[in-house]
Amino acid sequence: MPDRQDGYNPGKYPPFAVTVDIVLMTVVDGDLRVLLIQRGEGPFEGGWALPGGFVLPHENLDEAAGRELLEETGIRPDQGYMEQLGAYGEPYRDPRMRVVTVAYWAIAPRLRKAPSTPAAAARPEAKLLFFSREAPAAAARAPSPAEMESTAQQWKSKIRAGGDAAYAEMVPLAEIQSGRLSLAFDHRRIVDDAVDTLRARLETTTIAQGFCPPEFTIRELQEIYEAVWGTRLDAGNFYRDMVRRKGSLTPTESRTPSGEQGGRPAKLWRAGESPTFDRPYYRSPGRTRRRRRRDEDDDRPR
Amino acid sequence: MPDRQDGYNPGKYPPFAVTVDIVLMTVVDGDLRVLLIQRGEGPFEGGWALPGGFVLPHENLDEAAGRELLEETGIRPDQGYMEQLGAYGEPYRDPRMRVVTVAYWAIAPRLRKAPSTPAAAARPEAKLLFFSREAPAAAARAPSPAEMESTAQQWKSKIRAGGDAAYAEMVPLAEIQSGRLSLAFDHRRIVDDAVDTLRARLETTTIAQGFCPPEFTIRELQEIYEAVWGTRLDAGNFYRDMVRRKGSLTPTESRTPSGEQGGRPAKLWRAGESPTFDRPYYRSPGRTRRRRRRDEDDDRPR
DNA sequence: GCAAAAGTGTTAAGAGTACACCCATGC
DNA sequence: GCATGGGTGTACTCTTAACACTTTTGC
């Protein structure tokens, strides 16, 4: 606490800068990805870093994180999910001054997979999504209900070719954790912590649905779990396990526009009223056999 | 991140004070308690608050929390367990200036219960432990191995009668959560968050042992779980469940100095090599039937 | 018809729970 | 002997995990 009997008095305190950094995660084609920006100046110029910025004097930490998310991606915090991760404050993590960063992690809904064979869609090095960092004023205005309806449309309108000095990109987590792509400051550690927390949250809450479009199939939800946990799950058991949990899913009348070259159309579901499961869905050891490799695709023989 | 393309440059950033606050918890006679200090000056003078202080320019957040814990209680962080909880930064949480607090929670081992009938020991409003906040220099020096051996002795040497303006006290959590005792700033919320996290950690880690003396019985460990979770557990099942988990407990040759008015002497155990369980010990609904009231004492008929 | 994907049934193994019961001590 | 608390046995229930099987579509 600020003032106490140990020699400090108000006004004579060590001044710090306080920033927020955001680990925005999404799942694209079975890959967990993280939003990174390429730094345009300063230390680590040209390096990859988490989006973030200073906390302003009048706003609290959650508001600062929500504002930064909106400014950088056009995503409003209430469209997905956002939660504080923790504070990071090594003395020389920023070489210029003493900075304490409060990290947040957030979830962005994904675009629905384009109708085509899954094999074709997954393979040809699926194009990364680029988010413009320009025109923050336009991005900051509140979206209309129609705009909110389809986040996919919002995103598409912001995608550009990239290649500019400072841009943002959804980078596969594997690129970061394998070390092929290294991050500025202590952001690698922040990303690791965020992923750990996300993995744990999937056990007790329904936030995995936040990665999905407003209406989704149980199979799509399963793909989120598999991407985040890095495991394969039994489709039949997963279906029952999710539907059995009360309050987490609302059934819909509609079904998927039916399969490409066959397959039974899947029921569509909406998020339930409860943000948590009535009973946790644990990654038990038997359930989570390690997944081999991205794009080895499947365990089943053909 | 500090410098970016959005109008900020280094040196022109909103200055904040950064502090650490510590939720030090212990279990005394089946009660989960929290260390509070009574404020000697400033806002909330005379009110109860968490111990804490400013982060110094040269130290990181963990070091600041460890230093504060040592200064305020004489407990070295490596004697128990300490973990960051999160950051709290509402704009006017401190009326004097903009302060962001990074909260930590920590565990202190408890004194072994004095040999007497459990009923007698539990009832007569067991005396609270008082920690002196004076002579910080003495408290700050590194304790010798002999001193470390018995934390109980360290504590006793610091206990004083209390009644002074600024002192510290282990307050039962129930006093805080019932609202009978209200805390300064947003410290009530921080305490609640710390307890939630502690409860969750008991499921997957062996830190409950941190509340126990170096050698302890399974029954003592069970009492920790019951105090923290606020439940009753079946003694027979708990015994097996804990002993079954590999790596969490090391057997000892010794036994308890044998019962007071009978009873089979209990085996003594030490902490195992693993800080986490091989399989989590969940508070499943059946296991955690709600406990009635503190000091109604027991469910069994007599 | 066949292939593919959604959804259901069945079963064996194991974890969780309740509770009876035996064991080792003090008095 | 009796009381007390430590530790073990046992039976029943429920969840998990594997996998066979049925349903509904496209071609």
Side-chain angles (χ1 to χ4, degrees):
Chain A
M1 268 300 82
D3 91 346
R4 294 216 329 288
Q5 303 75 30
D6 44 12
Y8 285 104
N9 55 11
K12 277 180 58 186
Y13 58 91
F16 286 68
V18 177
T19 61
V20 287
D21 285 344
I22 296 154
V23 184
L24 176 71
M25 292 176 281
T26 194
V27 173
V28 180
D29 293 324
D31 255 359
L32 181 60
R33 299 189 181 203
V34 177
L35 179 69
L36 296 181
I37 61 155
Q38 202 161 20
R39 292 176 57 76
E41 58 176 49
F44 300 99
E45 183 173 341
W48 293 100
L50 293 170
F54 286 105
V55 178
L56 303 179
H58 63 280
E59 65 188 358
N60 69 25
L61 302 175
D62 289 2
E63 285 161 0
R67 176 179 52 75
E68 288 292 338
L69 181 65
L70 184 62
E71 288 177 5
E72 307 256 2
T73 68
I75 296 174
R76 300 193 327 177
D78 61 331
Q79 289 179 310
Y81 179 85
M82 185 147 83
E83 183 182 313
Q84 194 196 298
L85 184 61
Y88 296 79
E90 287 293 323
Y92 303 107
R93 58 184 294 280
D94 188 311
R96 293 159 302 181
M97 56 182 160
R98 185 68 200 265
V99 180
V100 168
T101 279
V102 181
Y104 281 75
W105 62 274
I107 285 178
R110 69 165 170 177
L111 301 134
R112 182 175 289 283
K113 213 176 340 198
S116 63
T117 76
R123 218 61 81 256
E125 182 49 19
K127 270 203 287 297
L128 298 169
L129 296 171
F130 293 85
F131 295 82
S132 171
R133 294 191 65 260
E134 268 136 46
R141 78 187 158 74
S144 73
E147 285 172 320
M148 284 179 57
E149 187 54 33
S150 168
T151 313
Q153 286 312 311
Q154 282 195 12
W155 285 24
K156 276 186 181 150
S157 71
K158 290 179 194 311
I159 291 170
R160 62 192 182 111
D164 192 290
Y167 63 72
E169 187 174 319
M170 299 297 309
V171 174
L173 178 70
E175 293 294 308
I176 300 166
Q177 293 198 326
S178 68
R180 283 193 291 274
L181 192 150
S182 60
L183 304 188
F185 308 106
D186 51 3
H187 288 185
R188 163 70 192 272
R189 164 124 188 263
I190 296 176
V191 168
D192 288 347
D193 290 349
V195 172
D196 285 348
T197 304
L198 171 65
R199 285 182 176 144
R201 285 292 178 281
L202 257 54
E203 294 187 311
T204 53
T205 74
T206 61
I207 49 160
Q209 299 173 6
F211 286 108
C212 296
E215 299 200 338
F216 52 88
T217 68
I218 304 294
R219 195 65 176 73
E220 286 174 323
L221 189 61
Q222 181 187 341
E223 281 163 15
I224 304 298
Y225 273 86
E226 292 184 335
V228 173
W229 283 351
T231 59
R232 309 251 80 162
L233 300 169
D234 181 276
N237 291 332
F238 185 85
Y239 187 94
R240 250 180 324 219
D241 286 345
M242 282 299 143
V243 172
R244 196 172 30 168
R245 276 155 229 267
K246 306 210 183 305
S248 69
L249 290 168
T250 319
T252 309
E253 292 308 308
S254 26
R255 300 179 158 268
T256 47
S258 98
E260 285 84 41
Q261 73 268 53
R264 178 173 171 175
K267 282 183 202 154
L268 282 169
W269 304 75
R270 222 186 294 271
E273 69 273 12
S274 172
T276 56
F277 288 132
D278 55 350
R279 182 166 15 110
Y281 181 73
Y282 295 117
R283 341 160 228 189
S284 21
R287 189 133 64 194
T288 64
R289 20 194 176 129
R290 208 80 217 139
R291 182 194 208 176
R292 299 207 237 273
R293 195 40 320 116
R294 180 79 206 116
D295 279 2
E296 220 177 86
D297 215 321
D298 232 63
D299 286 10
R300 280 167 288 159
R302 308 221 144 232
Chain B
M1 267 302 82
D3 91 345
R4 296 215 331 286
Q5 302 76 29
D6 44 11
Y8 285 104
N9 56 10
K12 278 181 59 187
Y13 59 90
F16 287 69
V18 177
T19 62
V20 287
D21 284 344
I22 296 155
V23 185
L24 177 71
M25 292 176 280
T26 194
V27 173
V28 180
D29 295 324
D31 255 358
L32 181 59
R33 299 190 178 201
V34 177
L35 179 69
L36 296 180
I37 60 155
Q38 202 161 19
R39 291 176 58 77
E41 60 177 47
F44 300 101
E45 181 172 344
W48 292 101
L50 293 170
F54 287 105
V55 178
L56 303 180
H58 63 281
E59 65 189 357
N60 68 25
L61 302 174
D62 289 2
E63 286 161 359
R67 175 180 54 74
E68 287 292 338
L69 181 65
L70 184 63
E71 287 176 7
E72 307 257 0
T73 69
I75 295 174
R76 300 193 328 174
D78 59 331
Q79 289 179 310
Y81 179 85
M82 186 148 83
E83 184 182 314
Q84 193 195 299
L85 183 61
Y88 297 80
E90 286 294 321
Y92 303 106
R93 57 185 296 278
D94 188 311
R96 295 158 300 180
M97 55 182 162
R98 185 68 200 266
V99 179
V100 169
T101 279
V102 180
Y104 282 75
W105 62 275
I107 285 178
R110 69 165 172 178
L111 301 132
R112 181 176 289 284
K113 212 177 337 198
S116 63
T117 77
R123 216 62 80 258
E125 184 49 19
K127 267 203 287 298
L128 299 169
L129 297 170
F130 292 85
F131 296 80
S132 170
R133 295 191 64 260
E134 269 137 46
R141 78 186 158 76
S144 71
E147 283 172 322
M148 285 179 55
E149 186 55 34
S150 169
T151 313
Q153 287 311 311
Q154 282 195 11
W155 286 22
K156 277 187 180 151
S157 70
K158 290 179 195 309
I159 292 170
R160 64 197 183 107
D164 192 291
Y167 62 50
E169 188 173 316
M170 299 297 311
V171 174
L173 177 70
E175 294 294 307
I176 300 165
Q177 294 199 327
S178 69
R180 283 193 291 275
L181 191 149
S182 61
L183 305 189
F185 307 105
D186 51 2
H187 288 184
R188 165 70 192 272
R189 165 129 188 262
I190 296 175
V191 168
D192 288 348
D193 291 349
V195 172
D196 285 348
T197 304
L198 172 65
R199 284 183 176 142
R201 284 291 178 283
L202 257 54
E203 294 187 309
T204 52
T205 72
T206 60
I207 51 162
Q209 299 173 6
F211 287 108
C212 298
E215 298 200 337
F216 53 89
T217 68
I218 302 295
R219 194 67 175 72
E220 285 174 322
L221 189 61
Q222 181 186 340
E223 282 163 15
I224 303 298
Y225 273 87
E226 292 184 334
V228 173
W229 283 351
T231 59
R232 308 249 82 162
L233 300 169
D234 181 276
N237 291 333
F238 185 85
Y239 189 93
R240 250 181 324 220
D241 287 343
M242 283 298 143
V243 171
R244 196 171 28 168
R245 277 156 227 267
K246 304 208 185 306
S248 70
L249 291 168
T250 319
T252 310
E253 291 310 306
S254 24
R255 301 177 158 268
T256 47
S258 96
E260 285 82 42
Q261 75 269 50
R264 178 173 168 176
K267 283 182 203 158
L268 282 169
W269 303 76
R270 222 186 294 268
E273 68 272 15
S274 172
T276 55
F277 288 132
D278 55 351
R279 178 167 17 109
Y281 181 73
Y282 295 117
R283 340 160 228 189
S284 22
R287 188 134 65 194
T288 64
R289 17 188 180 134
R290 208 80 219 139
R291 185 192 203 174
R292 299 208 238 272
R293 189 53 311 117
R294 180 76 206 122
D295 277 0
E296 223 177 82
D297 213 324
D298 233 63
D299 287 8
R300 279 165 290 160
R302 307 227 144 230

